[in-house]
Amino acid sequence: MKFKQNDGQNQRIERISTSHLVIGIDMAKEIHVAQATNFRGIVLAKRHLSFTNDLEGFERLQRWMAELQQKHQLKTLIIGMEPTGHYWFNLANWLSDKEINVVMVNPATTKRNKENRDNCPSKSDPKDALVIADVVCRGYYYEYTRQATVFQRLRTIMSDREFWVTNSVRMQNRIIRWLDIRFPEYTSVFKDWTCKRSLATLKELPSPLDLQSLSVSEVITSWRRHMKRAGGSTGTQKAAQLISQAKQSVGDKTALHEAKQDLERLLEEFERIIEILEKIEKDILALLSEIPMANQLRSIKGLGPIFIAAILSCAGDLRQYAHGRQLLRKAGLNLAERMSGKHKGQIKLSKRGDATLRKYMYLATITLVGTNPVFRQMHEYNVQIKQMKKQQSIFKLLGKLARILIGIVQRGESFLPEKVTSNYAQAA
């Protein structure tokens, strides 16, 4: 993995100054805890503030901060919090609407800094809030900016899709388990059990006992209740194979009535989820049509709408990134290495970023290598000429994809294969 990362990409231009009141907030479901320090990390309040996760609590926090600013004559306010779970979201948006500077602190950073003040591994909400304030004082944070409404809508619908995809996989695994127990020979007839003819079989004749005494024409007749083209040479062949496998099946035959009821419920739920996913994907396509940069990204052959929607939902407006390295860091795809003296450790991905963005960037790269001639050519060059391992080449191309995405959006142009290959050859 040789794409280059620059740790300076996440450094802030504005530094914490003597005029700053720094607030660290430890988020919770019902009661948040805030601590206040100056730019040197010296605690300014006699006691931490506990406030509720509602409008009354938010306004109490605002009054408390205003009093501290007036008392210590601090003109600038910066509030740090961890983006853990979803409890931070409403408070961050409420503060942003009031044009108060909100920044995010990586939970891994606070975890590794909790012993700095007292050299003690103890943990409490007030201490965590103080550690967050300390981290902000040293500048280890990133700005929180609310994305445009269309990107927020896209993030919501993609989050919804992830939930239903997970449920779909769960249902499929349950159905495969059912077949492994009741009819283990089934997959030798239908490699894809989700095809129409297979689903018709599972609804009408799921058990080997249902098939053993039937003829080929009777099996095809049962299929016609669920599909129009049930017969033909393919249908006749599949029916004959099913009957043959059913006669020699070693599947479990006990509690068959209850097992069939279980399968019926699983199939109903699976088909319901598939309908939901189809509706969601139509909504995603409609939403992408409202985002001009999505059309630019569609010019990359093989980068389908789901990949584009996933990247934009996690990364937001790509115009806010100056370089592909920032997108890689957002996904936790920047490199981490351990070195000490003569020891040189293995280089690994930091994985300090959005796991969903990381997943879809990786899957998109693999898909492009298989479907896009340009990426396939670069992959073959890496493996055959530069003697890279295949996985190493994939991660190098992942960095290339990030730079391409940011580049075409920043320049407002479509994907140009000849430009990519010429630049790649020069870099190589």
Side-chain angles (χ1 to χ4, degrees):
M1 294 177 285
K2 295 186 178 180
F3 54 81
K4 297 179 181 179
Q5 300 287 349
N6 182 359
D7 290 340
Q9 289 293 332
N10 265 23
Q11 295 298 320
R12 274 121 317 264
I13 298 175
E14 180 188 5
R15 304 181 70 175
I16 303 298
S17 65
T18 55
S19 65
H20 271 93
L21 172 64
V22 181
I23 305 293
I25 302 179
D26 183 67
M27 311 302 298
K29 182 176 182 178
E30 296 177 354
I31 305 294
H32 307 315
V33 175
Q35 290 272 29
T37 71
N38 64 7
F39 77 108
R40 295 186 182 218
I42 299 173
V43 179
L44 299 180
K46 293 182 179 179
R47 192 176 183 279
H48 65 269
L49 174 73
S50 297
F51 61 99
T52 54
N53 188 27
D54 52 27
L55 180 60
E56 182 180 352
F58 295 173
E59 291 176 343
R60 183 184 177 195
L61 170 68
Q62 189 177 26
R63 291 193 299 270
W64 181 71
M65 294 187 299
E67 290 171 2
L68 288 173
Q69 280 188 281
Q70 184 177 6
K71 179 179 178 180
H72 297 279
Q73 297 182 347
L74 299 173
K75 299 179 180 180
T76 314
L77 177 64
I78 185 169
I79 301 175
M81 59 183 72
E82 294 177 334
T84 51
H86 56 273
Y87 304 131
W88 64 275
F89 195 69
N90 291 333
L91 176 58
N93 287 337
W94 188 84
L95 292 169
S96 294
D97 290 341
K98 294 188 174 296
E99 299 182 350
I100 297 174
N101 189 17
V102 178
V103 298
M104 295 292 137
V105 174
N106 193 315
T109 305
T110 57
K111 181 178 180 180
R112 286 163 176 75
N113 283 273
K114 67 179 181 180
E115 297 185 33
N116 286 351
R117 292 187 72 96
D118 56 6
N119 194 30
C120 178
S122 63
K123 184 184 187 305
S124 66
D125 292 346
K127 180 178 177 179
D128 288 347
L130 194 54
V131 171
I132 292 170
D134 266 347
V135 170
V136 173
C137 287
R138 295 201 299 275
Y140 298 130
Y141 61 81
Y142 59 93
E143 303 288 344
Y144 171 68
T145 54
R146 297 186 71 176
Q147 296 290 340
T149 303
V150 67
F151 291 102
Q152 294 184 43
R153 291 170 60 197
L154 192 60
R155 186 176 183 87
T156 300
I157 196 170
M158 285 303 297
S159 175
D160 187 27
R161 181 181 181 275
E162 283 290 294
F163 172 81
W164 289 109
V165 166
T166 302
N167 278 351
S168 171
V169 172
R170 186 179 293 116
M171 288 297 107
Q172 292 183 58
N173 289 339
R174 288 281 298 178
I175 293 171
I176 291 171
R177 175 184 179 275
W178 193 98
L179 289 171
D180 288 343
I181 295 172
R182 302 291 173 174
F183 199 167
E185 301 81 8
Y186 188 84
T187 52
S188 66
V189 180
F190 294 109
K191 301 297 182 184
D192 178 15
W193 67 265
T194 63
C195 69
K196 289 185 178 180
R197 189 172 277 111
S198 172
L199 290 174
T201 304
L202 294 178
K203 291 174 182 177
E204 296 292 330
L205 309 164
S207 166
L209 292 178
D210 298 327
L211 290 159
Q212 289 174 359
S213 59
L214 298 182
S215 64
V216 170
S217 61
E218 288 174 325
V219 173
I220 293 175
T221 300
S222 69
W223 286 343
R224 286 200 174 98
R225 301 189 186 101
H226 302 277
M227 56 187 300
K228 293 179 179 179
R229 298 181 180 179
S233 59
T234 303
T236 302
Q237 181 185 4
K238 291 294 183 183
Q241 289 177 351
L242 267 177
I243 294 170
S244 174
Q245 293 294 340
K247 289 180 178 179
Q248 56 185 356
S249 177
V250 296
D252 185 13
K253 300 177 179 62
T254 59
L256 199 55
H257 176 70
E258 289 75 15
K260 285 183 179 180
Q261 289 182 325
D262 179 30
L263 180 62
E264 182 181 352
R265 288 188 287 266
L266 289 172
L267 289 172
E268 287 177 357
E269 183 65 11
F270 172 71
E271 291 185 331
R272 186 180 74 89
I273 292 173
I274 294 301
E275 289 179 2
I276 292 173
L277 286 172
E278 289 174 352
K279 174 65 168 58
I280 289 174
E281 290 185 12
K282 289 180 181 178
D283 293 340
I284 289 171
L285 289 173
L287 199 52
L288 286 178
S289 66
E290 301 178 21
I291 305 175
M293 71 177 65
N295 292 326
Q296 295 174 249
L297 301 182
R298 288 291 294 272
S299 65
I300 305 175
K301 182 182 177 182
L303 193 65
I306 297 301
F307 287 132
I308 294 172
I311 291 170
L312 293 179
S313 68
C314 295
D317 191 341
L318 296 183
R319 291 172 297 185
Q320 66 184 317
Y321 299 92
H323 195 278
R325 287 191 295 266
Q326 291 176 315
L327 181 60
L328 292 172
R329 183 173 289 279
K330 172 76 173 178
L333 288 166
N334 53 305
L335 301 181
E337 180 181 12
R338 287 189 175 185
M339 295 180 62
S340 178
K342 295 182 179 180
H343 172 73
K344 185 174 182 180
Q346 186 178 3
I347 299 176
K348 296 182 179 180
L349 297 177
S350 71
K351 294 187 179 180
R352 294 284 192 269
D354 192 314
T356 303
L357 178 59
R358 184 163 62 248
K359 178 182 78 170
Y360 278 101
M361 289 283 290
Y362 177 76
L363 293 176
T365 305
I366 292 177
T367 302
L368 288 171
V369 168
T371 59
N372 189 298
V374 175
F375 277 81
R376 188 186 305 117
Q377 179 184 349
M378 291 190 292
H379 181 62
E380 290 173 354
Y381 178 85
N382 289 339
V383 174
Q384 297 173 9
I385 306 300
K386 301 193 75 173
Q387 299 297 310
M388 288 184 182
K389 294 181 180 179
K390 290 183 178 180
Q391 191 73 347
Q392 186 180 8
S393 174
I394 291 294
F395 279 101
K396 183 177 178 66
L397 292 177
L398 201 157
K400 182 69 174 178
L401 174 61
R403 293 191 293 274
I404 289 172
L405 293 176
I406 301 303
I408 62 178
V409 168
Q410 289 286 5
R411 288 189 288 270
E413 60 187 25
S414 298
F415 179 69
L416 301 174
E418 61 278 3
K419 185 175 181 179
V420 174
T421 51
S422 63
N423 291 342
Y424 190 79
Q426 291 172 8

